Amino acid sequence: MILLMICVVSCNSIDNNQLDRDSQLLAGLYCKAKEIRIRRFDLADRIRFTEDTLIMKEFKSNFFYQKRLDSLSAFKEPLTNLTKILSDSIFITQKKLYSKIYNSPEKKNLLDLAFKQAVEKICPD
């Protein structure tokens, strides 16, 4: 598999080091986005749990849970903004790479394959 990739890379005049750097760059951005997504889902779960608890608890403990809810809710906007920034970064980076270096279907497939391998090394499921 690797030999095939090397042959295709050399035949299409893409430097292996360039391919590694580009796939690592995209994989790094992807893995950061994946981490932020997990944090967003965790935050949403914690907010839902706190809201449910507020509904079920007696009046005495509402103050604590309301403060907790306010505290958790303060993290929503920064995580949303970070998600948007990472999404835009991935889109722009990929668009630039596809238009300047990986401008044929074969080259795009090469980058996609290298990207998938990099993701499996950096942040496997």
Side-chain angles (χ1 to χ4, degrees):
M1 184 76 160
I2 293 176
L3 289 175
L4 174 65
M5 191 167 80
I6 291 171
C7 175
V8 173
V9 169
S10 62
C11 295
N12 286 321
S13 72
I14 295 177
D15 180 11
N16 264 343
N17 292 330
Q18 181 73 42
L19 180 63
D20 286 342
R21 283 192 304 270
D22 295 341
S23 63
Q24 292 289 326
L25 173 64
L26 285 173
L29 291 171
Y30 172 83
C31 291
K32 285 180 188 175
K34 182 178 173 182
E35 177 187 332
I36 296 301
R37 184 186 73 222
I38 291 168
R39 288 174 51 195
R40 272 192 354 255
F41 288 174
D42 179 56
L43 178 63
D45 287 343
R46 293 167 74 191
I47 288 172
R48 277 192 297 275
F49 174 78
T50 304
E51 287 172 338
D52 291 347
T53 304
L54 261 171
I55 292 169
M56 294 185 309
K57 289 290 181 182
E58 292 180 19
F59 184 74
K60 295 177 199 173
S61 55
N62 278 356
F63 180 77
F64 169 76
Y65 289 105
Q66 187 60 52
K67 285 293 184 187
R68 179 179 171 160
L69 182 61
D70 293 343
S71 175
L72 290 171
S73 295
F75 289 102
K76 283 191 323 191
E77 188 174 344
L79 280 177
T80 301
N81 291 340
L82 188 53
T83 299
K84 181 167 177 16
I85 290 168
L86 281 169
S87 173
D88 290 346
S89 296
I90 292 168
F91 177 76
I92 291 168
T93 302
Q94 194 172 33
K95 187 175 178 179
K96 283 181 182 178
L97 290 173
Y98 281 168
S99 68
K100 293 182 180 181
I101 300 170
Y102 306 93
N103 50 10
S104 72
E106 296 82 17
K107 291 177 182 179
K108 287 178 185 177
N109 287 338
L110 253 163
L111 178 61
D112 291 345
L113 178 63
F115 164 74
K116 288 177 185 176
Q117 290 173 345
V119 166
E120 287 180 20
K121 288 179 187 174
I122 296 173
C123 60
D125 285 331

